[in-house]
Coordinates of all heavy atoms in Angstrom, one line a residue:
E51 N -6.3 9.1 -26.2 CA -6.3 10.5 -26.6 C -7.7 11.0 -26.3 O -7.9 12.1 -25.8 CB -6.0 10.7 -28.1 CG -6.1 12.0 -28.5 CD -5.6 12.2 -30.1 OE1 -4.7 11.5 -30.5 OE2 -6.5 12.9 -30.7
A52 N -8.8 10.2 -26.6 CA -10.1 10.7 -26.4 C -10.3 10.9 -24.9 O -10.9 11.9 -24.4 CB -11.2 9.6 -26.9
Y53 N -9.9 10.0 -24.0 CA -10.0 10.1 -22.6 C -9.1 11.2 -22.0 O -9.5 11.9 -21.1 CB -9.7 8.8 -21.8 CG -9.9 8.9 -20.4 CD1 -11.2 9.0 -20.0 CD2 -8.9 8.8 -19.5 CE1 -11.5 9.0 -18.6 CE2 -9.2 8.7 -18.2 CZ -10.6 8.9 -17.7 OH -10.9 9.0 -16.4
E54 N -8.0 11.5 -22.7 CA -7.2 12.5 -22.2 C -7.9 13.8 -22.3 O -7.8 14.8 -21.4 CB -5.9 12.6 -23.0 CG -5.0 13.8 -22.8 CD -4.3 13.8 -21.4 OE1 -4.3 12.7 -20.8 OE2 -4.0 14.8 -20.9
V55 N -8.8 14.0 -23.3 CA -9.7 15.2 -23.5 C -10.9 15.2 -22.6 O -11.2 16.1 -21.8 CB -10.0 15.4 -25.0 CG1 -10.9 16.6 -25.2 CG2 -8.7 15.7 -25.7
L56 N -11.8 14.2 -22.8 CA -13.0 14.1 -22.2 C -12.8 13.9 -20.6 O -13.9 14.2 -20.0 CB -13.8 13.1 -22.9 CG -14.2 13.2 -24.4 CD1 -15.1 12.2 -24.9 CD2 -14.7 14.5 -24.7
G57 N -11.8 13.3 -20.3 CA -11.7 13.1 -18.8 C -11.1 14.3 -18.1 O -10.9 14.2 -16.8
D58 N -10.8 15.3 -18.7 CA -10.3 16.5 -18.1 C -11.4 17.7 -18.4 O -11.7 18.0 -19.6 CB -9.0 16.9 -18.8 CG -8.3 18.2 -18.1 OD1 -8.8 19.3 -18.3 OD2 -7.4 17.9 -17.4
K59 N -11.9 18.2 -17.3 CA -13.0 19.2 -17.3 C -12.5 20.4 -18.3 O -13.3 20.8 -19.2 CB -13.3 19.7 -16.0 CG -14.6 20.7 -16.0 CD -14.9 20.9 -14.7 CE -16.2 21.9 -14.7 NZ -16.5 22.3 -13.2
Q60 N -11.4 21.0 -18.2 CA -10.9 22.2 -18.9 C -10.8 21.7 -20.4 O -11.2 22.5 -21.3 CB -9.6 22.6 -18.4 CG -9.2 23.9 -19.1 CD -7.9 24.3 -18.5 OE1 -7.2 23.7 -17.8 NE2 -7.3 25.5 -19.0
K61 N -10.1 20.6 -20.7 CA -10.0 20.3 -22.2 C -11.3 20.0 -22.7 O -11.5 20.2 -23.9 CB -9.1 19.1 -22.1 CG -7.6 19.4 -21.8 CD -6.7 18.2 -21.9 CE -5.3 18.6 -21.5 NZ -4.4 17.4 -21.5
R62 N -12.2 19.3 -22.1 CA -13.5 18.9 -22.6 C -14.3 20.1 -22.9 O -15.0 20.2 -24.0 CB -14.3 18.1 -21.5 CG -15.6 17.6 -22.1 CD -16.4 16.7 -21.1 NE -17.6 16.3 -21.6 CZ -18.5 15.5 -20.9 NH1 -18.2 15.3 -19.7 NH2 -19.6 15.1 -21.5
Q63 N -14.3 21.1 -22.1 CA -15.0 22.5 -22.4 C -14.5 23.0 -23.6 O -15.2 23.6 -24.5 CB -14.8 23.4 -21.2 CG -15.7 23.1 -20.0 CD -15.5 23.9 -18.8 OE1 -14.5 24.7 -18.8 NE2 -16.3 23.9 -17.8
R64 N -13.1 23.0 -23.8 CA -12.5 23.5 -25.0 C -12.9 22.8 -26.3 O -13.2 23.4 -27.2 CB -11.0 23.7 -24.8 CG -10.3 24.4 -25.9 CD -8.8 24.5 -25.5 NE -8.1 25.4 -26.5 CZ -7.0 25.8 -26.4 NH1 -6.2 25.6 -25.2 NH2 -6.4 26.6 -27.3
Y65 N -12.8 21.5 -26.1 CA -13.3 20.6 -27.3 C -14.8 20.9 -27.7 O -15.0 21.0 -28.9 CB -13.0 19.1 -26.8 CG -13.5 18.2 -27.9 CD1 -12.7 18.0 -29.0 CD2 -14.5 17.4 -27.6 CE1 -13.2 17.0 -30.0 CE2 -15.0 16.6 -28.6 CZ -14.3 16.3 -29.6 OH -14.7 15.4 -30.6
D66 N -15.6 21.0 -26.5 CA -17.0 21.1 -26.9 C -17.3 22.5 -27.5 O -18.3 22.7 -28.1 CB -17.9 21.0 -25.5 CG -17.9 19.6 -25.1 OD1 -17.6 18.7 -25.9 OD2 -18.2 19.3 -23.9
S67 N -16.4 23.5 -27.3 CA -16.6 24.8 -27.9 C -16.5 24.8 -29.4 O -16.8 25.8 -30.1 CB -15.6 25.7 -27.3 OG -14.4 25.4 -27.8
L68 N -16.2 23.7 -30.0 CA -16.2 23.5 -31.5 C -17.6 23.8 -32.1 O -17.7 24.0 -33.3 CB -15.6 22.2 -31.9 CG -14.2 21.8 -31.4 CD1 -13.8 20.5 -31.9 CD2 -13.2 22.9 -31.8
G69 N -18.5 23.5 -31.2 CA -19.9 23.8 -31.6 C -20.5 22.8 -32.6 O -20.2 21.7 -32.7
A70 N -21.3 23.4 -33.6 CA -22.0 22.5 -34.5 C -21.0 21.9 -35.5 O -21.4 21.0 -36.2 CB -23.0 23.4 -35.4
N71 N -19.8 22.5 -35.6 CA -18.9 21.9 -36.7 C -18.5 20.5 -36.4 O -18.0 19.8 -37.3 CB -17.6 22.8 -36.6 CG -17.8 24.1 -37.2 OD1 -18.3 24.2 -38.3 ND2 -17.5 25.2 -36.5
W72 N -18.7 20.0 -35.2 CA -18.2 18.6 -34.8 C -19.0 17.6 -35.6 O -18.6 16.5 -35.8 CB -18.4 18.4 -33.3 CG -19.9 18.3 -32.9 CD1 -20.8 19.2 -32.5 CD2 -20.7 17.1 -32.8 NE1 -22.0 18.8 -32.2 CE2 -22.0 17.4 -32.4 CE3 -20.4 15.7 -33.1 CZ2 -22.9 16.5 -32.2 CZ3 -21.4 14.8 -33.0 CH2 -22.8 15.2 -32.4
Q73 N -20.2 18.0 -36.1 CA -21.0 17.0 -36.8 C -20.5 16.7 -38.3 O -20.9 15.7 -38.9 CB -22.5 17.4 -36.9 CG -23.1 17.4 -35.6 CD -24.6 18.0 -35.6 OE1 -25.0 18.3 -36.6 NE2 -25.2 17.9 -34.5
G74 N -19.7 17.6 -38.7 CA -19.2 17.5 -40.1 C -18.4 16.2 -40.4 O -18.6 15.5 -41.3
G75 N -17.4 16.1 -39.5 CA -16.6 14.9 -39.6 C -15.6 14.9 -40.7 O -14.9 13.9 -41.1
A76 N -15.5 16.1 -41.5 CA -14.6 16.1 -42.7 C -13.4 17.1 -42.2 O -13.2 17.2 -41.1 CB -15.3 16.7 -43.8
D77 N -12.8 17.7 -43.2 CA -11.8 18.6 -42.9 C -12.3 19.7 -42.1 O -13.4 20.3 -42.4 CB -11.2 19.3 -44.3 CG -10.4 18.2 -45.0 OD1 -10.0 17.2 -44.4 OD2 -10.2 18.4 -46.2
Y78 N -11.5 20.0 -41.0 CA -12.2 20.7 -39.9 C -11.7 22.3 -40.1 O -10.7 22.7 -40.4 CB -11.6 20.3 -38.6 CG -12.2 21.2 -37.5 CD1 -13.5 21.2 -37.2 CD2 -11.3 22.0 -36.8 CE1 -14.0 22.0 -36.1 CE2 -11.7 22.7 -35.7 CZ -13.0 22.8 -35.4 OH -13.5 23.5 -34.5
T79 N -12.8 23.1 -39.9 CA -12.6 24.6 -40.0 C -12.8 25.2 -38.6 O -13.9 24.9 -38.0 CB -13.5 25.4 -41.0 OG1 -13.2 24.8 -42.2 CG2 -13.3 26.8 -41.0
P80 N -11.8 25.7 -37.9 CA -12.0 26.0 -36.5 C -13.0 27.2 -36.3 O -13.2 28.0 -37.2 CB -10.6 26.4 -36.1 CG -9.8 26.9 -37.3 CD -10.5 26.0 -38.4
P81 N -13.6 27.4 -35.2 CA -14.5 28.4 -34.9 C -13.6 29.6 -34.6 O -12.4 29.5 -34.3 CB -15.3 28.0 -33.7 CG -14.4 26.9 -33.0 CD -13.7 26.4 -34.0
P82 N -14.3 30.8 -34.5 CA -13.6 32.1 -34.3 C -12.8 31.9 -32.8 O -13.4 31.4 -31.9 CB -14.7 33.0 -34.1 CG -15.8 32.6 -34.9 CD -15.7 31.1 -34.7
G83 N -11.6 32.4 -32.9 CA -10.8 32.4 -31.7 C -9.8 31.3 -31.7 O -8.9 31.2 -30.8
F84 N -10.0 30.3 -32.5 CA -9.0 29.1 -32.6 C -8.2 29.2 -33.9 O -7.4 28.2 -34.2 CB -9.8 27.8 -32.8 CG -10.4 27.4 -31.4 CD1 -11.6 28.0 -30.9 CD2 -9.8 26.4 -30.6 CE1 -12.1 27.7 -29.7 CE2 -10.3 26.1 -29.3 CZ -11.4 26.7 -29.0
E85 N -8.2 30.3 -34.6 CA -7.4 30.5 -35.9 C -5.8 30.2 -35.7 O -5.2 29.8 -36.5 CB -7.6 31.7 -36.6 CG -9.1 31.9 -37.1 CD -10.0 32.5 -36.0 OE1 -9.4 32.6 -34.8 OE2 -11.1 33.0 -36.3
N86 N -5.4 30.6 -34.5 CA -4.0 30.7 -34.3 C -3.3 29.4 -33.8 O -2.2 29.3 -33.3 CB -3.6 31.9 -33.4 CG -3.9 33.2 -34.0 OD1 -3.8 33.4 -35.2 ND2 -4.3 34.1 -33.2
F87 N -4.0 28.4 -33.6 CA -3.6 27.1 -33.0 C -3.1 26.2 -34.0 O -2.7 25.0 -33.7 CB -4.9 26.4 -32.2 CG -5.3 27.2 -31.0 CD1 -6.5 27.5 -30.9 CD2 -4.4 27.6 -30.1 CE1 -6.9 28.3 -29.8 CE2 -4.7 28.3 -29.0 CZ -6.0 28.8 -28.9
G88 N -3.0 26.5 -35.3 CA -2.3 25.8 -36.3 C -3.0 24.6 -36.8 O -2.5 23.6 -37.0
F89 N -4.4 24.7 -37.2 CA -5.2 23.7 -37.8 C -4.7 23.2 -39.0 O -4.9 22.2 -39.5 CB -6.6 23.8 -37.7 CG -7.3 23.9 -36.3 CD1 -7.2 25.0 -35.4 CD2 -7.8 22.8 -35.8 CE1 -7.7 25.0 -34.1 CE2 -8.3 22.6 -34.5 CZ -8.3 23.8 -33.7
N90 N -4.2 24.3 -39.9 CA -3.9 23.9 -41.2 C -2.4 23.6 -41.5 O -1.8 23.7 -42.5 CB -4.2 25.2 -42.1 CG -5.7 25.5 -42.0 OD1 -6.5 24.6 -42.1 ND2 -6.1 26.9 -41.9
G91 N -1.8 22.9 -40.5 CA -0.5 22.6 -40.7 C 0.5 23.3 -39.6 O 0.6 22.9 -38.5
G92 N 1.1 24.4 -40.0 CA 2.0 25.2 -39.2 C 3.0 24.3 -38.5 O 3.6 23.4 -39.1
N93 N 3.3 24.7 -37.3 CA 4.4 24.0 -36.6 C 4.1 22.5 -36.3 O 5.0 21.8 -36.0 CB 4.6 24.7 -35.3 CG 5.2 26.1 -35.5 OD1 5.9 26.3 -36.4 ND2 5.0 27.0 -34.6
F94 N 2.9 22.0 -36.4 CA 2.6 20.8 -36.0 C 2.5 19.7 -37.2 O 2.1 18.6 -36.9 CB 1.3 20.7 -35.2 CG 1.3 21.2 -33.9 CD1 1.0 22.6 -33.7 CD2 2.0 20.5 -32.8 CE1 1.2 23.2 -32.4 CE2 2.1 21.3 -31.5 CZ 1.7 22.6 -31.5
H95 N 2.8 20.1 -38.3 CA 2.6 19.2 -39.5 C 3.6 18.0 -39.4 O 3.4 17.0 -40.2 CB 2.6 19.9 -40.8 CG 4.0 20.4 -41.2 ND1 4.7 21.5 -40.6 CD2 4.9 19.8 -42.1 CE1 5.8 21.6 -41.2 NE2 6.1 20.6 -42.1
Q96 N 4.7 18.2 -38.7 CA 5.6 17.0 -38.6 C 5.6 16.5 -37.2 O 6.7 16.2 -36.7 CB 7.1 17.5 -39.1 CG 7.1 17.8 -40.5 CD 8.5 18.1 -41.0 OE1 9.3 18.6 -40.1 NE2 9.0 17.7 -42.2
F97 N 4.6 16.4 -36.6 CA 4.4 16.1 -35.2 C 5.1 14.6 -35.0 O 4.9 13.7 -35.6 CB 3.0 16.0 -34.8 CG 2.8 15.6 -33.4 CD1 2.9 16.7 -32.4 CD2 2.4 14.4 -32.9 CE1 2.8 16.4 -31.0 CE2 2.3 14.1 -31.6 CZ 2.4 15.1 -30.6
N98 N 5.9 14.6 -33.9 CA 6.8 13.4 -33.6 C 6.2 12.7 -32.5 O 5.9 13.1 -31.4 CB 8.2 13.9 -33.3 CG 9.0 12.7 -32.8 OD1 8.6 11.5 -33.0 ND2 10.2 12.9 -32.2
F99 N 5.6 11.4 -32.7 CA 5.1 10.5 -31.8 C 6.0 9.9 -30.8 O 5.7 9.3 -29.9 CB 4.3 9.4 -32.4 CG 3.0 9.8 -33.0 CD1 2.9 10.4 -34.2 CD2 1.7 9.6 -32.2 CE1 1.8 10.8 -34.8 CE2 0.6 10.1 -32.8 CZ 0.6 10.5 -34.1
G100 N 7.4 10.2 -30.9 CA 8.3 9.5 -30.2 C 8.8 10.2 -29.0 O 9.6 9.8 -28.2
G101 N 8.3 11.4 -28.6 CA 8.9 12.1 -27.4 C 8.2 13.5 -27.2 O 7.3 13.9 -28.0
G102 N 8.7 14.2 -26.3 CA 8.2 15.6 -26.0 C 6.9 15.5 -25.2 O 6.4 14.5 -24.8
D103 N 6.4 16.7 -24.7 CA 5.3 16.8 -23.9 C 4.0 16.2 -24.4 O 3.2 15.9 -23.7 CB 5.1 18.3 -23.4 CG 6.2 18.7 -22.7 OD1 6.9 17.9 -22.0 OD2 6.3 20.0 -22.5
M104 N 3.8 16.1 -25.8 CA 2.6 15.7 -26.4 C 2.8 14.4 -27.2 O 2.1 14.1 -28.0 CB 1.9 16.8 -27.2 CG 1.4 18.0 -26.4 SD 0.9 19.3 -27.5 CE 2.3 19.9 -28.2

Side-chain angles (χ1 to χ4, degrees):
E51 179 178 316
Y53 186 63
E54 174 69 22
V55 175
L56 300 185
D58 184 285
K59 186 176 181 180
Q60 183 182 5
K61 291 179 182 176
R62 185 180 180 183
Q63 288 176 346
R64 185 168 188 170
Y65 175 77
D66 287 344
S67 69
L68 301 180
N71 289 308
W72 71 271
Q73 296 179 354
D77 289 342
Y78 177 66
T79 302
F84 283 81
E85 296 88 346
N86 296 325
F87 294 124
F89 284 88
N90 297 318
N93 290 332
F94 290 96
H95 72 285
Q96 290 184 330
F97 185 78
N98 176 10
F99 284 81
D103 292 341
M104 291 177 292

